Amino acid sequence: MEFDAANRSQLRQLMTENGLRPNKRLGQNFLCDKNAADAIVRAAGDLTGRRVLEIGPGAGALTVRLCKKASHVYALELDAGLYAMLQNHVEAQNLTLIHGDALKADLASLDLGEHAAVVANLPYYATTAILLRLLHELPTVDTFVLMMQKEVAQRLCAPPGGRDYGSLSVAVQYYSQTQTVLQVPPPCFFPAPDVDSTVVRLTRRPYPIQPADEAWMFTLVRASFAMRRKTILNNLSAIPGLDKPAIMQALGQCGIAPGVRGETLCIEQFIALSDATGPLVKGSHKSQ
Ligand code: SAM
C-alpha cells in the first residue's frame, strides 16, 4: 500500500518512527482527510506541464498528490525534522525539497516558469505575511490554492461595505480574484486546531487598471482603514503632506462623498483616489 500522509494512522506511525511530534509554534496541524487533500489539488485546475510551489509540505499529504499532477514541485519546509523525513520518504523525481523559511527565502529565484501555481496548507501564524510575499514576488504564479484560518479567508473574500472588508481585502483583491473553495473542520487535522479552516483560490488579475504609484495607493488604503469609524476625509487628513482642501478636491474629482468610510470603497475607487491625491502631496511624504 502506498504511503499517504493524509491517512491519520500512517501519518502518526511515520512521525513516531522518525521521533517527531507536531510543533504548535510552527502551525503544524497536518491534514488527515484524503477527500480534502484531493479537493485542494483539484482546485488548482489542470496542472499538466505546470510548476507548483508548496509552502510547508509537512509530512507530504499535498506534496505527493501534486507530484502526480504537475511537471515539477518545489516544496519549502522550515522544520528540519520534517524536511529530513520527507527526503527519506518521498521518492518523486519531479520534487525539489527546500529547507527554508517562507518569510525569508529568495522565492523569486525559483524557476517556476509561466502559468505556475502555489498550493499550500499554510502555517496559520504567518498566513498574511506569506500570502502578501507570494502575490508580490511571484508574478508568474497565476493560481494560488491556500488553506488558512476561516476568519482570514473571510477577510480576503469580503466585498466592500462589510465588517470583514479592510486593507488586507483590498491588498489581496488588487492582485487577484478570490473564491472560497472548501471549509475544513478541525477533526480533519492531526492534531485538531482550535479554529475552523477554509481553502481559498486566488486567481491573479491581468491588471485592467493600475495606479500611477502602487506604493502610494497602499499608503492611502492603510490610512483609510486606520480608524474604522472615522470618515475617509478624516482618516486621509492624518497622512503627512496631505491637507483637507486637497483631499476634498481629490474626493470630488473621484465622485466620492467626504463623509463615507473607507470600508465602502472598492479597489477601482482606491486606484482613482490614489491617482487624484498623488500629485497633491506636499514634500517628500509620498514615499513613506
Ligand atoms: N502541508 C502539510 C499538511 O497539509 O498536512 C502541513 C501543513 S501545516 C498547517 C504547516 C506546515 O508549514 C508545517 O509543516 C510547518 O512546519 C511549515 N512551516 C511553518 N512555518 C513555516 C515557514 N515560515 N516556512 C516554511 N514552512 C513553514
Side-chain angles (χ1 to χ4, degrees), residues 144-146 148 153 156-157 178-181 198-202:
F144 302 79
V145 179
L146 306 171
M148 61 193 72
L156 297 195
C157 300
T178 58
Q179 190 187 3
T180 300
V181 173
T198 302
V199 179
V200 178
R201 179 175 43 231
L202 295 94

Side-chain angles (χ1 to χ4, degrees), residues 240-262:
L242 202 56
D243 55 35
K244 274 197 177 170
I247 301 167
M248 288 291 285
Q249 182 191 326
L251 288 169
Q253 212 175 308
C254 301
I256 300 169
V260 300
R261 294 188 183 143

